[in-house]
Amino acid sequence: MSEAPNSSTPNQERNTENWFSSWFDTPYYHILYKDRNYREAQIFMDNLTHYLNLPEKAKVLDLACGKGRHSIYLNQLGFDVLGADLSENSIAEASKNSNETLHFKVHDMREPFEEKFDAIFNLFTSFGYFESDDDNLTTLRAIKESLSEYGFAVIDFMNVTQVIETLVPQEVKTVEGIDFHIKRYVEDGHIFKEIDFEDQGRKFHFTEKVKALTLKDFQDLMDEAGIYLLDIFGDYKLKKFHKTESERLIMIFK
């Protein structure tokens, strides 16, 4: 999730850069989320590429790729992969893994690509960060325009119904000696996560914010964008989607 405007108290360190210079670029983001299940992510890619029956050396776009963990694995599976992200720092780090069939570039997901792709993946809830809801529709249209004639696109989003029902309002997570004080809440159709911590005598505050888009919301947006929703899954093993039980909302469309 990206950083939203936030306030600070005296002696509190806060990011004053533009909205797109998100907290993804700070070392603390990677410390807090260091325990992510990479094997689960690989299993998801195995299942997804098998389901889509992508041809050998298919051109794949990993949209909002971060530091490229999915891009790198997709390339290892034999695909010609482009990882794109708005964060210059993340792309600089990801580019260390570049080769003849794996490339990375700084790109705004609201803008279509000139080249066409056999598959476009937007993974791990990398959608719905924009201040303007119109940008969500713009992004979907850009994805559609960037697909080849027979291409497929995938959005892997959280299941907001399940997330809201199981929301933990407050917790403290200690990682590498840092106590991250986390507060979660729903407001104005968005899910917020406020993160406060102290390190080396400085106080930090970041706010993650994502639009609480339901399946119905996505269906409405896709209808408006002229997109065909082909299939829906509820987890990384591609099991059936259940509105109140599934952890993920995985949508296949073209």
Side-chain angles (χ1 to χ4, degrees):
M1 299 179 178
S2 65
E3 183 185 354
N6 55 68
S7 59
S8 64
T9 56
N11 301 319
Q12 184 179 58
E13 194 78 15
R14 77 178 182 115
N15 192 325
T16 57
E17 297 177 89
N18 292 322
W19 66 269
F20 49 81
S21 299
S22 74
W23 104 277
F24 293 147
D25 285 339
T26 76
Y28 299 108
Y29 171 82
H30 299 284
I31 291 172
L32 177 59
Y33 297 114
K34 65 180 293 186
D35 294 330
R36 280 178 174 163
N37 192 329
Y38 282 80
R39 182 57 191 145
E40 182 182 56
Q42 292 177 350
I43 290 172
F44 180 35
M45 293 300 94
D46 290 340
N47 293 333
L48 192 57
T49 53
H50 178 74
Y51 168 83
L52 294 174
N53 194 25
L54 294 179
E56 187 178 356
K57 298 181 180 178
K59 293 185 64 176
V60 177
L61 171 63
D62 182 7
L63 191 61
C65 67
K67 292 190 176 183
R69 63 174 178 145
H70 291 103
S71 300
I72 293 166
Y73 186 68
L74 286 165
N75 182 242
Q76 291 171 354
L77 292 178
F79 301 115
D80 186 344
V81 181
L82 173 64
D85 199 281
L86 194 61
S87 166
E88 293 184 7
N89 288 347
S90 291
I91 291 300
E93 184 66 26
S95 295
K96 296 176 182 178
N97 301 284
S98 297
N99 59 48
E100 290 184 358
T101 55
L102 176 61
H103 302 92
F104 296 92
K105 70 179 296 183
V106 176
H107 183 85
D108 188 322
M109 61 167 35
R110 292 167 290 189
E111 298 292 332
F113 286 78
E114 290 186 9
E115 57 189 305
K116 305 299 182 182
F117 298 90
D118 300 306
I120 298 177
F121 296 158
N122 178 252
L123 306 169
F124 206 70
T125 309
S126 299
F127 194 94
Y129 298 163
F130 304 113
E131 290 301 314
S132 171
D133 290 343
D134 291 341
D135 286 335
N136 295 321
L137 179 60
T138 299
T139 300
L140 285 175
R141 284 175 170 157
I143 291 174
K144 180 187 177 184
E145 290 180 34
S146 303
L147 283 173
S148 65
E149 182 180 358
Y150 301 104
F152 296 94
V154 180
I155 291 180
D156 161 35
F157 201 70
M158 62 181 168
N159 177 14
V160 297
T161 302
Q162 192 263 357
V163 167
I164 291 172
E165 288 181 355
T166 61
L167 201 68
V168 179
Q170 295 188 51
E171 68 172 317
V172 179
K173 185 176 180 181
T174 302
V175 188
E176 294 188 9
I178 300 174
D179 295 330
F180 293 92
H181 297 262
I182 301 171
K183 179 182 178 183
R184 301 177 181 89
Y185 57 94
V186 181
E187 185 177 284
D188 295 331
H190 291 80
I191 297 174
F192 288 82
K193 181 191 290 184
E194 293 190 14
I195 303 164
D196 291 276
F197 57 94
E198 185 173 341
D199 186 43
Q200 298 181 2
R202 293 185 297 170
K203 293 182 179 180
F204 296 84
H205 174 83
F206 291 95
T207 302
E208 297 181 359
K209 173 185 176 182
V210 64
K211 181 75 173 178
L213 293 165
T214 64
L215 174 58
K216 178 64 164 58
D217 293 328
F218 274 108
Q219 289 172 326
D220 290 343
L221 285 168
M222 289 179 180
D223 285 345
E224 191 169 352
I227 284 171
Y228 298 98
L229 181 58
L230 303 174
D231 219 337
I232 308 162
F233 299 108
D235 65 17
Y236 293 146
K237 295 181 180 179
L238 303 188
K239 293 182 181 178
K240 184 179 179 180
F241 175 76
H242 293 279
K243 180 179 179 180
T244 58
E245 299 173 13
S246 295
E247 294 182 357
R248 309 300 299 172
L249 172 60
I250 299 167
M251 295 162 287
I252 317 291
F253 59 95
K254 65 181 305 178

